[in-house]
Amino acid sequence: MRMTESYIPTLREVPAEAELISHQYMLRAGLIRKSAAGIYTYLPLGLRVLHKIMNIIREEMNKAGGQEILLPIMQPAELWHETGRWDDYGEEMFKLADRNQRQFCLGPTHEEIVTALVRIDVRSYKQLPIRLYQIQNKYRDEIRPRFGVIRGREFIMKDLYSFDRDEAGLEKSYQLMYDAYSRIFSRCGLQTCPVEADSGAIGGDTTHEFMVLGDAGEALIVYCQDCDYAANVEQAECLYQKPEKAALHPLKEIPTPNVSTIEELTAYLDISPSRFIKTMIFLADNKPIAVLIGGNHKINEIKLQKAVNCTKLELADPATIETVTNAPVGYAGPVGLQIPIIVDYSAAGIVNGISGANKEDTHLANINFERDYIPTKVVDIREAQAGDPCVRCGGTLQTARGTEVGQVFKLGTKYSIPLEAKFLDENGKEKPLIMGCYGIGVSRTMAAIIEQHHDEDGICWPVSVAPYQTVIVPVNYEDEKQRQTADHLYKLLTESGIETVLDDRKERAGVKFKDADLIGYPIRITIGPRQLKEGNVEITVRESKEQIVVPVAEVHNQLLTLLS
Ligand code: ATP
Ligand code: MG
């Protein structure tokens, strides 16, 4: 492609709205333009990168037994009512109605519609397994669309759905996808780390997220220094630790006028937060429950919600807290409470602990588990943190931030039972299909690649996903000799299948170099008067900045070596 015939609007200035480097470079290199919050246009270069990523994904999905289909974006509400997700999915779903008031949504994900497809055509175990995938736009009305295409409201996803006859089949499909994902990301030049995760609104039990580690990530991950355990904190398990051995002291009221937060209390009483039993009142499906946790820990609401098995969980309002505890907010404690008491392992292990006395300006000291309050449930509901022991090997956990680029789920029968997607087994017995689903954020992957491959001058695309593999920059295209060499190389390389850009603009060399670095072509061929006198040109490798001078006649061979 000739630059003079291209649409590559690069920007000199860093756009004010872009916080993350990938977002800045995607705008500056002319890959995307914003249309509305979380909604983007892909310009020619951006689209080329997307297509490269999609092709890698397609190859690996096909190799793993996937077949590509294209499901509708607009999905009828009826199907979502059948699984209950029309209401459960919440405000993230874009809903619309047709002229006859029939309800639809813009697909945030496609489990319902693909299951409804398969239930029509599949009758027998002989047709299984089936693995169908598509690459398509998804719509989610994210509360906080941000970081450019990393969290969009319209984004591109590859989603594959597997249908098997039994758990063993699902296990095989899951493993095939897991391995394909590892290959896809590595072929895209991305280093990823698979972590155990929570399955959220998609459902199912076993699930792994593929994370790109980096400080820009929105997810918090714990990983073990000594074994390969890694999990999203939403999911990470914490171990039960035996209470310390100490004599139990009698309960004692302590006056704490106007002191109610843990910070104020630790300062006021001059003791460590680990002695406190934090008592929080939640509404689980609108019924109050008390939740106890060690003063130096945070509640993980996802684990809590699972532990109490409710669909709606929220912190109680002040009026409820006052009714339940008979005291102003800030003085809740377990002793004497008449509501279910859910106790985290960390609180169960506290001997002679301190908590609110359910009485204004008063706390209770020497509270002991089971002696002074009866727990309804003792469970793991806290957020894992650095320094915790690993649940697998007892080693020490560390934390890191990550961006999720893909996720694989074992769904089981979560969709096939309500949607009645069944098959007949060898004995003619009717059974529900066993499902899995597997997503990759294609547009997010593009941004993640930039996060891992850039420097202060711009993007450094891995060859596999670069918009073009090489750029030819004549220092002065008006110069007869330079132009002839540039045109010759451009023709030669293009015809041999190397994706080449010729920067034939009437710009200063500096401007052309800056754009080449910003856009991040893996290789630049510079044609300057000095080298050319000797019949040479200069080849620069973008990522390593390595430069070599080669005779014009050897450029093609050099490039083949460098690109492979
Ligand atoms: P997140 O936790 O980041 O919101 P998710 O777990 O809701 O993502 P999935 O339903 O697992 O997302 O979707 C599969 C993949 O789609 C994700 O791994 C991610 O790469 C991508 N993805 C999800 N939401 C978005 C979004 N708003 N913008 C861009 N990509 C997204
Ligand atoms: Mg996910």
Side-chain angles (χ1 to χ4, degrees), residues 66-85:
Q67 280 178 280
E68 189 167 358
I69 55 171
L70 193 56
L71 295 160
I73 288 175
M74 234 171 105
Q75 306 182 15
E78 293 82 359
L79 281 178
W80 291 78
H81 284 304
E82 285 184 49
T83 59
R85 282 210 296 180

Side-chain angles (χ1 to χ4, degrees), residues 140 197-199 202 207-209 404-409 439 444:
R140 295 184 184 175
D198 172 64
S199 55
I202 307 286
T207 173
H208 287 87
E209 291 169 336
E404 175 197 324
V405 284
Q407 187 163 11
V408 290
F409 299 85
R444 184 183 286 182

Side-chain angles (χ1 to χ4, degrees), residues 140 142 149-153 155 157 202 209 404-407 409 439-441 443-444:
R140 295 184 184 175
E142 300 274 357
V149 300
I150 285 191
R151 187 166 296 285
R153 295 195 296 164
F155 60 95
M157 195 200 285
I202 307 286
E209 291 169 336
E404 175 197 324
V405 284
Q407 187 163 11
F409 299 85
I440 292 182
S443 35
R444 184 183 286 182

